[in-house]
Amino acid sequence: MAPMAPMAEPELRIRLEGVSLCYRLAKQRIPSIKEYAIHWMRGSLSYEELWALRDVSLTLRQGETLGIVGRNGAGKSTLLKVISRVLKPTGGTAEIRGRLAPILELGTGFDYELTGLENVFLNALLLGRSRREIDAKIADIVEFSGLGDFIRAPIRNYSSGMQARLGFSIATAWIPEILILDEVLSVGDSAFIEKCEERIREFHAAGTTVLMVSHVPKAIQENCTRCLWLDAGRLRADGATAEVLAMYHHAGTEPDQRQVGKLHEG
């Protein structure tokens, strides 16, 4: 009997190597372009550096579900923006393979003067979908969002939960290779959150790579098999979700930044 061939390794989706990102912040507050030009000609402009990410390395393959935790300002959203190609890293390399469906910030990609229905087309076009693809999915998007007649109202009249419903419904109307969620499961009612979690499980079964940022440990625990802990822009721990969440919880409000735990290999 011939030996069985080894199973193929899941496809690489994301590889970050030594990624750092620095913001340059002006020290002076300059109220006009004229005064800015004067300061520039005098050579009196000065900046300070704020490092949002420092030497972050990460590999994610097809079908992995990754949660990212950390305090406010730890670099979580910045990391998602680098992976989404919204921000270019100051140092290191970011290799992304596959179509992205990012939900980065509440209201991103929405025009607040347009109706929800009009924003479905706008947002889906920004995600690279054709008019024909959108027409085929429009009824499913509206139904999943549960907005009913509010879909014809301007976005400016939507609550944060309604915006999250619509954004998630659009981004997940098609199965992407990579789904990126920034605090999406922290708004909205429990019934809709359950629908979102069920769709995430369906995507995971279909091979989608999912990255999720949340300040709600339960959301990370129930939806992610792997977890990263970012602290002051540095990778503090990477491993099984329960272990990393326990480390993060145990550290409390004053984590020891001198130690970096690497629990996950691969």
Side-chain angles (χ1 to χ4, degrees), residues 106 144-145 147 158-168 182-197 216:
L106 199 59
F144 189 89
S145 72
L147 292 175
Y158 282 24
S159 66
S160 59
M162 293 168 72
Q163 290 182 41
R165 282 170 173 262
L166 188 58
F168 187 90
D182 191 355
E183 292 289 356
V184 173
L185 299 185
S186 62
V187 294
D189 57 75
S190 59
F192 185 73
I193 290 173
E194 288 180 9
K195 287 175 64 176
C196 293
E197 292 177 338
V216 182

Side-chain angles (χ1 to χ4, degrees), residues 33-148:
I33 296 176
K34 178 181 177 181
E35 290 192 37
Y36 177 87
I38 293 172
H39 279 76
W40 180 78
M41 292 178 66
R42 291 175 176 173
S44 59
L45 291 174
S46 60
Y47 300 88
E48 59 181 339
E49 294 183 341
L50 173 64
W51 287 92
L53 294 174
R54 285 275 200 176
D55 196 28
V56 175
S57 295
L58 166 68
T59 299
L60 273 174
R61 296 192 174 275
Q62 179 184 8
E64 287 196 79
T65 52
L66 176 73
I68 304 173
V69 296
R71 294 181 295 173
N72 289 331
K76 305 182 300 297
S77 295
T78 300
L79 179 61
L80 293 188
K81 289 177 181 178
V82 169
I83 293 171
S84 300
R85 305 189 184 100
V86 173
L87 296 175
K88 185 177 180 180
T90 307
T93 59
E95 180 183 358
I96 315 299
R97 300 181 184 178
R99 173 167 275 186
L100 290 156
I103 308 178
L104 295 175
E105 293 178 0
L106 199 59
T108 298
F110 287 151
D111 185 324
Y112 282 74
E113 298 305 312
L114 299 180
T115 67
L117 192 61
E118 291 168 331
N119 270 287
V120 170
F121 285 92
L122 173 63
N123 216 277
L125 288 170
L126 291 174
L127 290 174
R129 299 297 173 179
S130 67
R131 180 64 185 249
R132 180 177 296 179
E133 288 177 308
I134 302 169
D135 286 335
K137 287 286 187 178
I138 188 71
D140 293 338
I141 292 171
V142 175
E143 181 182 0
F144 189 89
S145 72
L147 292 175

